[in-house]
Amino acid sequence: MDKGEIFRELEKDFTATFIEELMPGILHNFANPLNGIMGRSKLSQRRIEETIRKMEEKYPDAAAGMAEDLRRIKADISSVNSETEYFFDMFKDVAGKFHALVEKNDNRINISHLLAAEMRFFDFYLNFKHEIKKDIQWDKDMPEFIGNVADLSLGFWRIIRFAMTRALASSLKEFHIKTDHDSKYVNVFIKSSGEAMPAADLKNLMENLTSDSLDMNGVVEKGFLLSLLLFDKHQAKINFFSEENFSTISIGFPYRSDRIVRKEM
């Protein structure tokens, strides 16, 4: 084996442990100091505001003379608090994604909540965040269904990434996602700009979904097909639609009416 082959084999070993073994420890070690920073930041803001209030009461002339300086101090600590809260929200998005990927048991799933978290995670793809016009619509009265969070998180990551790639390659650079439900299914619609998928590719995808054997020859993207196959194991209803400059995939998961639980978004 040459140097490059050795490196690639070791790289595979490293990545194989990343999600289940390494990432939980990384997140745990980040969480403790981050919680400490947030707590101290909020405490500092309260102390500064209390100190300024006392100064204004006891030494009004001095406080008046330092009004601009005191205003800047209050603004600075407020900005620090806002930034730490923003950082904590991003940390939760990353932690939520990796916790979802290692969840092996079936759970109640609100697909609107799951996809809202996925879309926040996709902001870490900077070209998706800054270059693509996004339209996001969540059904806030979404029924829950029983499913595997890891399956859905990984599968939707791959499908959204597929749509993202197509949108980035188009002149319009648009991405749309929405959820809704009817009496039988909770539905997801993912629409992206770009040329419509060729009829041969669509036929190949649908044949793989309905066949007992898997044929990867000519498949538009292996990961995209595997995500659809994973959803098919959850009895998903999958359809494709094309119109001028846009392609849409709809995915519906069946649910039982006696399992409906409504939550606030």
Side-chain angles (χ1 to χ4, degrees):
M1 298 176 70
D2 62 24
K3 178 176 175 291
E5 289 174 317
I6 294 171
F7 178 85
R8 284 190 292 273
E9 288 301 316
L10 290 174
E11 187 178 43
K12 289 179 184 177
D13 272 353
F14 174 76
T15 56
T17 69
F18 190 77
I19 292 177
E20 294 194 8
E21 297 180 27
L22 185 58
M23 200 62 193
I26 291 173
L27 294 173
H28 174 78
N29 289 339
F30 278 154
N32 288 336
L34 180 55
N35 283 327
I37 291 169
M38 289 189 66
R40 286 294 178 182
S41 178
K42 291 182 182 299
L43 181 60
S44 295
Q45 184 174 26
R46 289 197 297 269
R47 285 176 173 172
I48 286 173
E49 289 175 350
E50 180 65 14
T51 299
I52 292 174
R53 184 187 65 78
K54 289 179 178 179
M55 184 176 180
E56 289 173 339
E57 290 178 354
K58 294 184 177 181
Y59 310 104
D61 292 340
M66 298 177 61
E68 182 60 21
D69 294 323
L70 296 176
R71 184 195 65 78
R72 289 176 180 174
I73 291 172
K74 290 175 67 174
D76 287 344
I77 193 63
S78 178
S79 294
V80 169
N81 269 321
S82 296
E83 292 299 326
T84 54
E85 288 176 0
Y86 177 59
F87 184 75
F88 185 63
D89 287 340
M90 290 193 295
F91 172 82
K92 289 192 297 183
D93 292 337
V94 173
K97 178 64 176 178
F98 283 96
H99 288 157
L101 292 178
V102 299
E103 178 56 66
K104 302 304 182 185
N105 298 320
D106 285 351
N107 290 286
R108 292 180 179 272
I109 294 173
N110 181 310
I111 202 67
S112 290
H113 292 174
L114 185 145
L115 288 171
E118 289 296 321
M119 292 304 297
R120 292 193 299 271
F121 183 79
F122 261 85
D123 273 349
F124 292 104
Y125 291 90
L126 295 182
N127 50 4
F128 184 73
K129 179 178 182 179
H130 296 297
E131 297 180 28
I132 293 181
K133 178 183 177 182
K134 292 171 281 291
D135 177 40
I136 299 172
Q137 300 177 43
W138 304 131
D139 183 343
K140 295 183 178 181
D141 296 315
M142 182 63 76
E144 290 187 337
F145 67 100
I146 301 299
N148 184 275
V149 173
D151 288 352
L152 297 179
S153 180
L154 194 59
F156 273 115
W157 164 79
R158 190 61 184 83
I159 290 172
I160 294 171
R161 188 172 183 274
F162 175 78
M164 174 190 78
T165 302
R166 290 175 58 82
L168 284 169
S170 72
S171 58
L172 293 175
K173 291 182 170 49
E174 291 188 24
F175 174 91
H176 305 255
I177 185 169
K178 75 172 185 176
T179 57
D180 68 19
H181 71 280
D182 54 35
S183 61
K184 295 182 179 180
Y185 290 89
V186 294
N187 303 302
V188 181
F189 300 89
I190 298 174
K191 177 179 177 181
S192 61
S193 58
E195 294 183 3
M197 289 177 62
D201 290 343
L202 288 175
K203 180 181 178 182
N204 194 332
L205 284 170
M206 297 309 296
E207 286 178 349
N208 272 290
L209 289 176
T210 57
S211 174
D212 293 331
S213 59
L214 190 61
D215 180 11
M216 288 293 183
N217 293 323
V219 170
V220 57
E221 278 195 28
K222 181 180 178 180
F224 181 63
L225 171 59
L226 291 175
S227 295
L228 299 180
L229 288 170
L230 189 61
F231 289 168
D232 187 61
K233 302 299 182 183
H234 287 265
Q235 302 178 315
K237 177 181 64 175
I238 300 170
N239 287 298
F240 297 92
F241 309 94
S242 294
E243 56 187 292
E244 186 178 1
N245 298 321
F246 287 94
S247 293
T248 302
I249 176 173
S250 72
I251 304 166
F253 297 95
Y255 71 94
R256 289 177 54 186
S257 59
D258 61 348
R259 287 178 177 170
I260 294 178
V261 176
R262 308 199 184 280
K263 293 183 177 180
E264 293 296 325
M265 284 292 289

